Amino acid sequence: MTKRPVRKPQVETKEKLTLWVTLMVSTTLCISVLAMVTSFMLGLWAREVDNAEIFKMISPAFSTLIGGMIGFLSGIKLMQNEDKKPSCKE
């Protein structure tokens, strides 16, 4: 008697796409944050750079980038959970 191979459930295309988009957005966010923090750190010790002016220019961009990426990631995760909820019929 031979055993049949157990079939693994295939992940849906939408779930794969959601996973890859989430990974790409997370990677982009990490790289951007590391680049900005590096520029902050380099700017602190540069004599020709006024720290107050640099922080005034970079802070809004930093906040916008972080807020946008986090909003995008949370939107993806919220929409993913809505698809799995069963719909109620009256």
Side-chain angles (χ1 to χ4, degrees):
M1 188 179 274
T2 61
K3 291 185 179 180
R4 287 185 175 178
V6 178
R7 289 183 126 193
K8 294 180 181 178
Q10 292 182 348
V11 180
E12 292 182 22
T13 306
K14 186 175 182 181
E15 290 176 5
K16 280 185 182 179
L17 181 63
T18 302
L19 173 68
W20 280 106
V21 169
T22 304
L23 289 175
M24 286 189 292
V25 168
S26 300
T27 303
T28 304
L29 176 63
C30 290
I31 291 169
S32 300
V33 169
L34 286 174
M36 285 187 167
V37 168
T38 302
S39 66
F40 282 153
M41 296 302 290
L42 292 174
L44 284 174
W45 287 284
R47 292 181 183 178
E48 60 273 353
V49 176
D50 182 20
N51 290 339
E53 292 300 317
I54 283 290
F55 288 122
K56 279 183 194 175
M57 288 190 304
I58 294 179
S59 292
F62 191 71
S63 298
T64 302
L65 179 72
I66 299 294
M69 294 286 189
I70 290 174
F72 184 71
L73 286 172
S74 62
I76 287 174
K77 289 300 175 185
L78 285 174
M79 291 302 292
Q80 187 178 18
N81 290 338
E82 280 186 11
D83 291 343
K84 293 180 181 178
K85 290 180 184 176
S87 59
C88 297
K89 293 184 179 180
E90 293 181 11

